[in-house]
């Protein structure tokens, strides 16, 4: 399994190193290449890729970046991911970026674009998703938004985005999402073959390296994981809910995986947002828009009456064969904290055991989390015995 260890090390370096080594390697190999950074949760990376840009997912600085400059530009009571992502820009760690795109997923993310525009040399854009996903005009509106963003990307690269190039990018990202679905299928069906930290690392790396490279690594990693000889342990099966935007520290996931199997989650859901392949025939931008609206996952930052989030969580638990849920929220995250109430009520009504917790990307002490998780898991093991 040394080859798998090498792949995991490569992915960990790409995903966790605040110097962005994989991005800088790509820039060294592509002189004059341009990088587009986009904030959580979802962005149609195919558009940037078709223009020759490297799209990367900005999701904060984690424990490796101390917030010093950002607090002079944005309130300290704003969630950590918005502040630490801005810190990456102000400290020069992402000076290679030519374009930044954010989304109005919350007040902090919406208004951060103005702060970026005043302090970032590159182009800053806001991608507005439809407020009413069920409107008969939603697909037309979102296609227009994608065209507007495509125009801004073309202005940055000096390169037109041909439909055929966009179709090729869609095919690449379709394969990437298929492989991620395969990874999650292993988590659901045989969670003893891959730990929560390993699965998360393999997924997170997709946001920081060329998708061609990541797809090759993930395909090989899946084959090696299938070859593992591991035995099932007596652990409860849980769904982790609450990682749609700000990400929990790896050490927190490591604590949880010691006491339970995380068989499904919404961690980095934007990388898996589209649940089926995007069609490649017809207008590719329209296909991306219709896929976002019609064949996609759910999160607290999308309002879609066809996907009541409480029902979707219960469905996730049911389809993954989970016995319980961990409902988490990042500190100061209004969408996450708001949904915790609805989730807890729905789980109570369904008689599903659940643990409520709060996290922050910069957490470094986990004794309390470990004690709560162990107590929760052990009580259920006795109950189910």
């Amino acid at each position: 399994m040394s080859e798998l260890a090498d792949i995991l090390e490569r992915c960990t370096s790409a995903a966790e190193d605040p110097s962005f080594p994989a991005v800088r390697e790509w820039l060294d190999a592509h002189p004059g290449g341009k990088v587009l950074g986009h904030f959580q949760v979802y962005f149609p990376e195919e558009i940037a890729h078709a223009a020759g840009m490297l799209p990367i997912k900005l999701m904060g600085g984690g424990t490796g970046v101390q917030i010093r400059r950002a607090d002079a530009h944005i309130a300290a009571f704003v969630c950590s991911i918005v502040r630490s992502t801005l810190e990456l820009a102000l400290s020069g760690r992402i000076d290679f970026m030519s374009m930044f795109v954010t989304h109005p997923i919350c007040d902090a993310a919406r208004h951060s674009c103005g702060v970026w525009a005043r302090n970032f040399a590159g182009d800053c854009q806001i991608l507005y998703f439809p407020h009413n996903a069920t409107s008969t005009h939603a697909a037309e509106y979102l296609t227009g938004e994608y065209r507007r963003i495509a125009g801004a990307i073309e202005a940055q690269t000096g390169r037109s985005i041909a439909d055929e190039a966009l179709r090729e990018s869609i095919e690449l990202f379709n394969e990437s999402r298929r492989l991620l679905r395969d990874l999650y299928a292993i988590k659901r069906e045989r969670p003893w073959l891959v730990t929560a930290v390993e699965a998360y690392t393999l997924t997170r790396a997709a946001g920081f390296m060329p998708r061609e490279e990541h797809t090759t690594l993930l395909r090989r990693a899946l084959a090696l994981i299938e070859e593992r000889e591991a035995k099932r342990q007596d652990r409860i099966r849980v769904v982790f809910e609450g990682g749609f935007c700000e990400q929990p520290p790896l050490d927190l996931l490591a604590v949880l995986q010691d006491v339970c199997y995380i068989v499904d989650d919404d961690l980095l859901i934007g990388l898996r947002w589209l649940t089926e392949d995007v069609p490649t025939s017809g207008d590719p931008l329209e296909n991306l828009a219709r896929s976002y609206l019609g064949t996609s996952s759910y999160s607290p930052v999308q309002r879609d009456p066809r996907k009541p989030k409480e029902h979707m969580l219960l469905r996730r638990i049911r389809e993954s064969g989970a016995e319980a849920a961990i409902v988490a929220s990042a500190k100061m995250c209004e969408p996450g904290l708001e949904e915790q109430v609805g989730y807890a009520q729905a789980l109570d009504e369904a008689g599903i055991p659940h643990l409520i917790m709060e996290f922050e990307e910069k957490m470094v002490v986990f004794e309390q989390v470990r004690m709560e998780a162990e107590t929760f898991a052990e009580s259920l093991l006795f109950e189910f015995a």
Side-chain angles (χ1 to χ4, degrees):
M1 289 291 108
S2 61
E3 184 181 357
L4 180 57
D6 290 342
I7 292 173
L8 289 168
E9 183 179 354
R10 168 67 174 163
C11 289
T12 300
S13 174
E16 297 295 323
D17 189 336
S19 68
F20 297 88
V23 177
R24 298 188 184 278
E25 288 176 15
W26 183 85
L27 288 170
D28 289 341
H30 298 81
K34 295 183 179 293
V35 178
L36 179 148
H38 59 91
F39 193 63
Q40 297 274 47
V41 171
Y42 169 77
F43 177 78
E45 295 181 311
E46 293 92 332
I47 301 175
H49 182 272
M53 296 187 86
L54 175 64
I56 64 170
K57 198 170 183 61
L58 298 178
M59 55 186 86
T63 57
V65 176
Q66 184 175 354
I67 299 176
R68 294 178 177 175
R69 299 170 178 84
D71 283 348
H73 298 268
I74 197 165
F77 57 77
V78 169
C79 61
S80 181
I81 184 174
V82 169
R83 293 159 56 226
S84 64
T85 300
L86 179 60
E87 183 71 27
L88 292 174
L90 297 175
S91 62
R93 289 181 172 89
I94 50 176
D95 56 1
F96 48 73
M97 261 175 35
S98 301
M99 187 171 177
F100 170 71
V101 181
T102 188
H103 321 281
I105 59 174
C106 65
D107 287 341
R110 179 189 300 112
H111 296 303
S112 69
C113 188
V115 181
W116 276 75
R118 290 190 295 271
N119 295 277
F120 175 62
D123 185 25
C124 296
Q125 296 285 337
I126 300 178
L127 172 57
Y128 293 95
F129 291 106
H131 286 288
N132 182 4
T134 60
S135 167
T136 56
H137 303 287
E140 179 184 359
Y141 164 79
L142 186 55
T143 302
E145 271 294 279
Y146 285 177
R147 292 196 194 285
R148 179 180 65 81
I149 293 296
I153 290 173
E154 290 174 334
Q156 280 292 316
T157 62
R159 173 177 167 179
S160 297
I161 302 175
D163 283 355
E164 192 54 40
L166 187 49
R167 292 188 185 100
E168 291 176 359
S169 295
I170 289 174
E171 289 178 352
L172 170 65
F173 283 79
N174 277 344
E175 182 181 9
S176 173
R177 287 185 287 265
R178 283 196 298 268
L179 292 172
L180 289 173
R181 289 196 290 270
D182 290 343
L183 174 62
Y184 269 72
I186 295 175
K187 284 186 61 171
R188 288 190 299 271
E189 297 163 11
R190 292 163 293 164
W192 50 90
L193 289 183
V194 58
T195 69
V197 169
E198 289 172 341
Y200 178 78
T201 299
L202 289 169
T203 302
R204 181 175 172 120
F208 296 99
M209 62 172 58
R211 198 56 60 94
E212 296 88 346
E213 178 186 356
H214 180 264
T215 297
T216 300
L217 290 174
L218 182 55
R219 187 186 303 110
R220 181 57 183 154
L222 289 172
L224 293 169
I225 289 170
E226 292 281 4
E227 295 174 3
R228 273 179 164 171
E229 296 181 0
K231 294 183 179 180
R232 179 175 182 172
Q233 297 183 6
D234 189 19
R235 297 180 180 177
I236 63 167
R237 298 167 58 92
V238 306
V239 161
F240 182 95
E241 191 81 8
F244 61 94
C245 185
E246 184 169 329
Q247 298 300 293
L250 277 180
D251 287 342
L252 186 147
L253 295 179
V255 167
L256 297 179
Q257 75 180 18
D258 285 344
V259 299
C260 60
Y261 287 130
I262 300 178
V263 293
D264 206 350
D265 56 62
D266 66 343
L267 297 166
L268 298 169
I269 194 64
L271 292 171
R272 302 176 286 119
W273 184 255
L274 305 185
T275 56
E276 297 179 12
D277 284 357
V278 179
T280 53
S281 60
D283 183 343
L285 287 177
E286 182 180 349
N287 290 340
L288 284 168
R290 291 191 179 278
S291 292
Y292 173 85
L293 296 167
T295 55
S296 57
S297 188
Y298 69 97
S299 87
V301 297
Q302 187 198 43
R303 301 293 182 261
D304 189 336
R306 299 169 301 178
K307 297 184 289 186
K309 286 174 278 297
E310 295 83 2
H311 294 172
M312 296 299 288
L313 173 57
L314 295 177
R315 175 180 170 183
R316 174 173 280 162
I317 292 171
R318 182 175 63 252
E319 292 181 351
S320 64
E323 301 159 302
I326 296 175
V327 182
S329 176
K331 292 182 178 180
M332 306 296 182
C333 176
E334 291 185 11
L337 290 168
E338 179 182 338
E339 292 301 333
Q340 263 191 345
V341 178
Y343 286 152
Q345 182 177 354
L347 292 167
D348 281 336
E349 292 174 354
I352 298 174
H354 56 280
L355 174 65
I356 303 292
M357 69 167 52
E358 191 177 59
F359 69 86
E360 187 177 27
E361 62 171 1
K362 295 190 175 303
M363 286 176 64
V364 293
V365 178
F366 302 95
E367 284 79 3
Q368 181 71 22
V369 171
R370 180 178 294 279
M371 182 182 67
E372 292 177 355
E374 288 178 347
T375 303
F376 178 66
E378 288 172 4
S379 67
L380 293 181
L381 286 174
F382 283 123
E383 180 180 339
F384 298 152

